Amino acid sequence: MSKTALSTTLRLSALTLALCAAFDTRAQTAAASPVETGTPAALERPVTALVVERTDIDASGAVAPATFGGSEYNRDFLRGFKNDSALRNGHRDYGYLGTECFCSMESIEVLKGPASALYGNGKPGGDLNSIAKMPGLVDYRNISVFTSSPGLSRVRLDVADVVGDVSYRVNAQAYSGATYTDYNNRQSAFIVPVIEWRVTPDLKLTVSYNGGYLDATWNPQLLANQALLGLPAKRFLGEPDNRMRIVDNTTRMELDYKLANGDHLRQALLYQVESYRDAGLAYDTYNYALADLVDTAGNVKRVSQRDRANQTIFVSQSELIGRGTLAQIPVEYLLGLEIGRFDYRYKLDVGSGSAINIYRPVYGAAMAGALDTLADQTYGTDNLVLYSQNRFQLSPSIRLLLGLRAERYRDYLQEAGEARSSQSDSLFSPRVGLTYQLHPNWIAALSWTNSSRPQIGAKSASGKLFRPEAGTQTEGSLQYTAPDESLKMTTSLFSITRKNVLTQDLASPNFQIDSGRRHSRGIEEDLSYSFTPELKLDAAASYTSAYVSHDTVLPVGALLAGVPKWFSSLYLGYDVTPAWSLGAGYVFESRRTATLPDNGVSLPAMSSIDLTVTYKTKKWSIDATLVNSGNHRGFTSDGYTVTPVNPREFQLTGRYKF
């Protein structure tokens, strides 16, 4: 079965594939081995990771939209809330982790419930953890070439080997060409070497580096204006010389030591330096409301804009992972200490700019010679965290999970020419989960998750920083697995509340206060069925009601922007012969509110079908994919900006093992 068409459904349905990731003790691709108690295998839980080659994922924008080149890791929503951060090999993402090369990622792990709060992202509804490709392969060499109908071409190389006690793997990628948007092009190059040294039989050292750049046309983000949404997806309303450049350097190191009793000590370090630059003409949202951006003649107001940002991240994680007994109860435990620092510098300059007609654009306008600085900020956070997650085997059929994250942090914010504001606080995030084997084929689960997250980079009218955002989730789920494992079904019910959300300060309308509250509740259904070993179906459906439950300005009950109430996806794969495979993927999202507060513009219901065919031999394979075969129009929204769904596009990928 070809994996390429999985990209259609992965973008949203993968978020609902895992039932009990909440009961894994670590963010890794496979569940921990069972405690030796004779527990039925079914209780060991469904796999948390959906392994799909990166070529298949980012070629169609399944995780990050193709026009972003990976600079935004995931813009979809997890159970009603924007997924504005993620995890990389268990390292916490502050929402700015940067441009990781997809060529080096092996899989994506979907975490829900208690496990999603382990590393402190403050998203009780769930999280994503990307898992890197690691050494260990012997004499492995793979090259792939990708091209698309708009004109984007890419070459990837994956080389690995084992030399004595040292294993290495090097992934590299270079691409260049045009996207489906007029006058838009991208150039990028990345290299990601990983070295693993077995220092002794019990001590392993792993060092990796992610380095590269992205240079692309800076395309002004589409906004919730009715005239703009009526344009073809390819329409470009910036200037051809608009540019964006990202440079990333990320180094990771991990020591893993196996103790005499079988426990593991893990010490991991992350250090990243990244810079971002863009300049060009963009929409003038500084002087005009969204509804007033386009006049009756079809001219959209624009400004000259330049953004510059630099960030530095350091994270240290020290963990003890093992198993033992407590009062004769088998327990798997994880104890950790995290020390982190995040620093971010951002500067925004804006000046005058000429309008452009949205129906008959004429390019050639230059940026203004003089720009005014609208923002010049330095902000960040230091944190010290103790965290623990423990899974108890109360009986052959009952497991209890208890976890706690205790964090002491210090936030700071400094505007240019002003004194630095800072604050310190302590956060406690407990979580509990329970699974019960009702029957050899049925598992029930309940969980309650609490999470907290500092609000970095914002301050009130009085100059004080905001208290952390807090979230809680209650979830119940039921899973059925057929005796022959040909059918797996999962039903999940959830309710999430997020408190201390920023909302407008009525006494000082240009500032915010932290008294808002948002709520999301829903039901998810996932199904996987093998008609035959060659013919398989994966399906997912969900209903999500996400709304404002308290605010100073927004009406209670207002729907959260960008969140579809109804979602469904299907993927059907058929291995015609050992060499030939066919696949078809379908995704549907219901009508959504485009912005919050609602400006009266909504995003229509959308659907898309991808079709793929694969031919493979032992040495090489070819994938041909038709993305959005019906060429249906559609949009996604992050609550303010809007992204068109990829128009019909033909993609061809060839891989060769040499």
Side-chain angles (χ1 to χ4, degrees):
M1 177 177 65
S2 170
K3 295 179 179 177
T4 306
L6 274 173
S7 59
T8 301
T9 55
L10 175 64
R11 180 166 58 91
L12 289 170
S13 66
L15 308 182
T16 60
L17 285 179
L19 162 66
C20 300
F23 306 101
D24 288 339
T25 57
R26 286 209 58 205
Q28 295 296 326
T29 51
S33 300
V35 178
E36 299 300 330
T37 59
T39 305
L43 188 58
E44 278 317 303
R45 218 287 310 210
V47 176
T48 65
L50 179 64
V51 180
V52 182
E53 290 190 23
R54 291 297 102 189
T55 302
D56 301 334
I57 292 177
D58 69 346
S60 65
V63 174
T67 52
F68 283 84
S71 60
E72 293 201 20
Y73 179 70
N74 181 73
R75 291 172 62 88
D76 292 327
F77 292 81
L78 287 165
R79 293 183 168 176
F81 296 107
K82 185 183 176 185
N83 186 43
D84 51 7
S85 63
L87 298 171
R88 312 288 198 278
N89 293 328
H91 282 294
R92 181 164 65 149
D93 180 347
Y94 291 86
Y96 301 85
L97 194 55
T99 311
E100 296 279 328
C101 181
F102 286 160
C103 65
S104 67
M105 295 183 190
E106 186 70 51
S107 63
I108 296 174
E109 187 177 48
V110 183
L111 303 175
K112 291 188 178 181
S116 68
L118 176 62
Y119 291 102
N121 273 335
K123 297 185 298 182
D127 218 331
L128 299 179
N129 182 36
S130 62
I131 308 298
K133 294 179 179 177
M134 298 302 293
L137 300 175
V138 178
D139 194 26
Y140 176 81
R141 295 180 297 274
N142 180 290
I143 188 170
S144 68
V145 179
F146 165 86
T147 187
S148 68
S149 52
L152 184 66
S153 299
R154 178 183 62 224
V155 177
R156 282 180 172 164
L157 182 68
D158 186 358
V159 177
D161 204 352
V162 178
V163 183
D165 295 326
V166 177
S167 304
Y168 70 86
R169 191 166 187 174
V170 179
N171 280 274
Q173 169 183 284
Y175 62 69
S176 179
T179 71
Y180 67 82
T181 306
D182 289 340
Y183 299 99
N184 272 230
N185 60 78
R186 300 158 59 197
Q187 294 82 39
S188 178
F190 277 88
I191 185 167
V192 188
V194 184
I195 298 176
E196 185 178 279
W197 177 25
R198 182 68 67 174
V199 183
T200 71
D202 298 321
L203 179 63
K204 181 177 67 177
L205 171 65
T206 305
V207 179
S208 67
Y209 170 75
N210 181 97
Y213 76 93
L214 168 68
D215 191 292
T217 305
W218 181 44
N219 189 359
Q221 285 295 282
L222 191 61
L223 300 174
N225 174 283
Q226 201 63 61
L228 295 177
L229 294 182
L231 298 174
K234 68 177 185 177
R235 186 62 45 85
F236 176 57
L237 297 175
E239 290 293 332
D241 58 357
N242 281 15
R243 300 309 300 171
M244 173 185 71
R245 185 175 178 85
I246 302 173
V247 179
D248 178 85
N249 290 278
T250 303
T251 302
R252 293 182 173 90
M253 186 275 289
E254 179 175 314
L255 277 169
D256 186 287
Y257 181 64
K258 184 178 180 181
L259 302 176
N261 65 354
D263 291 359
H264 283 259
L265 287 173
R266 171 180 174 264
Q267 174 60 56
L269 299 172
L270 162 71
Y271 182 71
Q272 180 184 81
V273 177
E274 178 164 300
S275 64
Y276 173 87
R277 303 286 186 274
D278 67 46
L281 270 73
Y283 306 124
D284 187 0
T285 56
Y286 307 98
N287 300 299
Y288 296 92
L290 293 180
D292 301 325
L293 274 178
V294 182
D295 63 23
T296 55
N299 299 308
V300 60
K301 284 83 170 178
R302 299 190 301 177
V303 293
S304 300
Q305 181 173 323
R306 180 172 61 229
D307 297 272
R308 287 167 286 179
N310 294 278
Q311 68 179 39
T312 303
I313 297 176
F314 170 80
V315 179
S316 168
Q317 290 176 343
S318 306
E319 294 180 343
L320 172 64
I321 307 160
R323 61 184 63 197
T325 59
L326 180 64
Q328 298 184 338
I329 298 176
V331 57
E332 301 173 25
Y333 53 83
L334 182 152
L335 304 173
L337 170 67
E338 177 181 296
I339 301 172
R341 180 176 179 85
F342 166 61
D343 295 290
Y344 190 77
R345 170 73 186 275
Y346 175 72
K347 187 176 183 182
L348 168 65
D349 299 319
V350 174
S352 60
S354 61
I356 191 171
N357 190 273
I358 65 174
Y359 306 114
R360 296 173 298 279
V362 177
Y363 305 101
M367 289 183 62
L371 304 180
D372 297 322
T373 299
L374 293 191
D376 191 352
Q377 296 180 326
T378 302
Y379 57 87
T381 186
D382 299 314
N383 69 313
L384 177 65
V385 187
L386 292 172
Y387 55 93
S388 174
Q389 193 136 292
N390 308 286
R391 182 166 56 176
F392 300 88
Q393 186 79 51
L394 301 182
S395 75
S397 59
I398 300 177
R399 283 192 174 187
L400 172 68
L401 181 141
L402 296 176
L404 176 67
R405 180 180 173 89
E407 178 173 357
R408 180 70 179 176
Y409 74 92
R410 181 187 67 86
D411 288 351
Y412 74 88
L413 170 65
Q414 184 171 16
E415 305 274 1
E418 298 182 7
R420 174 177 291 201
S421 301
S422 64
Q423 73 172 9
S424 299
D425 202 351
S426 297
L427 306 175
F428 295 92
S429 304
R431 62 201 74 102
V432 60
L434 185 72
T435 58
Y436 180 56
Q437 184 95 32
L438 300 170
H439 180 273
N441 306 115
W442 291 91
I443 299 175
L446 292 172
S447 68
W448 178 85
T449 305
N450 176 272
S451 66
S452 300
R453 183 175 187 174
Q455 306 205 60
I456 309 170
K459 64 180 180 179
S460 65
S462 63
K464 293 183 178 180
L465 303 185
F466 293 109
R467 57 182 171 170
E469 183 179 298
T472 58
Q473 174 182 267
T474 303
E475 179 179 6
S477 52
L478 184 65
Q479 176 182 287
Y480 171 76
T481 302
D484 61 358
E485 297 191 354
S486 61
L487 173 64
K488 294 182 180 181
M489 295 189 302
T490 299
T491 302
S492 302
L493 296 168
F494 65 88
S495 177
I496 303 172
T497 300
R498 296 181 73 163
K499 300 180 292 185
N500 306 338
V501 177
L502 299 185
T503 183
Q504 187 175 6
D505 184 348
L506 296 181
S508 301
N510 292 327
F511 292 89
Q512 296 173 304
I513 57 176
D514 51 6
S515 66
R517 184 173 296 189
R518 307 289 183 261
H519 197 82
S520 176
R521 62 182 63 173
I523 181 171
E524 298 171 339
E525 186 71 34
D526 299 287
L527 179 147
S528 177
Y529 182 63
S530 298
F531 297 94
T532 68
E534 297 78 26
L535 182 62
K536 299 179 182 180
L537 171 70
D538 289 295
S542 65
Y543 171 82
T544 305
S545 175
Y547 57 90
V548 174
S549 50
H550 183 270
D551 202 278
T552 58
V553 176
L554 302 173
V556 172
L559 299 179
L560 301 189
V563 182
K565 280 196 171 184
W566 296 99
F567 163 80
S568 62
S569 70
L570 298 170
Y571 172 72
L572 186 65
Y574 180 47
D575 293 333
V576 182
T577 70
W580 288 94
S581 300
L582 302 175
Y586 168 81
V587 64
F588 167 81
E589 291 184 16
S590 63
R591 193 177 188 88
R592 290 138 291 147
T593 301
T595 62
L596 187 67
D598 186 359
N599 68 346
V601 177
S602 61
L603 304 181
M606 70 171 192
S607 62
S608 178
I609 296 177
D610 286 8
L611 302 173
T612 186
V613 58
T614 298
Y615 180 78
K616 59 182 180 292
T617 69
K618 186 176 181 180
K619 284 288 187 179
W620 57 272
S621 66
I622 296 179
D623 290 338
T625 301
L626 189 62
V627 176
N628 190 6
S629 58
N631 201 30
H632 294 161
R633 287 176 53 84
F635 306 92
T636 61
S637 169
D638 63 5
Y640 183 70
T641 61
V642 178
T643 303
V645 171
N646 210 96
R648 183 190 293 125
E649 181 176 304
F650 179 73
Q651 300 173 348
L652 188 66
T653 304
R655 303 180 187 88
Y656 179 67
K657 296 179 181 179
F658 60 96

